[in-house]
Amino acid sequence: MGKGLSLRHRLTASTQRLDAAELQSDVEKMPCTKMRDIHPGSTAVVGGRVRAVRFTPTANVPVLEAELYDGTDVISLVWLGRRRIAGIEPGRKLLARGRVGDYGGHRAIYNPWYELK
């Protein structure tokens, strides 16, 4: 549990808030930028926990999307031409690097370099 959380806060906070605070503490130890501080067009290294993975079969190119959460915000990691990637699954922590773009109105990194944690 994060050192900055008082006993009163830990007893009265929701499970989601406690999980987010713990995840933020873990991510701060990684060599990455907080997701709330990145902007489309920039190159960024982000870290966090995969919350969801979706495969979207299309007529042209299959798309694998992972939702990465760092306790402050979410970014989509999008792999074109992939149906599955070993280790990319909900609950898994990872670092990802690439140029931030847009995917369906949300920030995304296409075909990112990644490292499983």
Side-chain angles (χ1 to χ4, degrees):
M1 191 65 56
K3 292 180 182 178
L5 298 177
S6 69
L7 177 60
R8 180 174 174 240
H9 175 77
R10 287 184 288 190
L11 293 173
T12 60
S14 71
T15 304
Q16 289 176 329
R17 288 186 67 197
L18 290 174
D19 183 51
E22 184 176 343
L23 183 57
Q24 285 178 41
S25 177
D26 290 347
V27 171
E28 286 175 2
K29 297 171 191 166
M30 295 179 178
C32 61
T33 303
K34 290 181 181 175
M35 287 183 216
R36 67 177 177 215
D37 297 333
I38 62 172
H39 304 286
S42 65
T43 299
V45 176
V46 294
R49 182 184 309 131
V50 176
R51 289 203 311 192
V53 177
R54 287 180 284 287
F55 168 66
T56 307
T58 64
N60 298 328
V61 177
V63 176
L64 181 68
E65 178 187 356
E67 184 179 277
L68 189 66
Y69 178 62
D70 74 350
T72 66
D73 209 345
V74 176
I75 193 165
S76 294
L77 305 177
V78 181
W79 289 271
L80 303 174
R82 302 296 295 264
R83 297 179 189 285
R84 185 178 187 291
I85 298 174
I88 303 294
E89 55 196 28
R92 188 69 185 254
K93 289 182 185 171
L94 62 86
L95 278 174
R97 178 179 63 218
R99 181 161 310 276
V100 180
D102 182 72
Y103 180 73
H106 304 287
R107 290 177 303 166
I109 299 176
Y110 284 86
N111 296 316
W113 166 90
Y114 65 94
E115 178 182 338
L116 300 173
K117 294 295 187 178

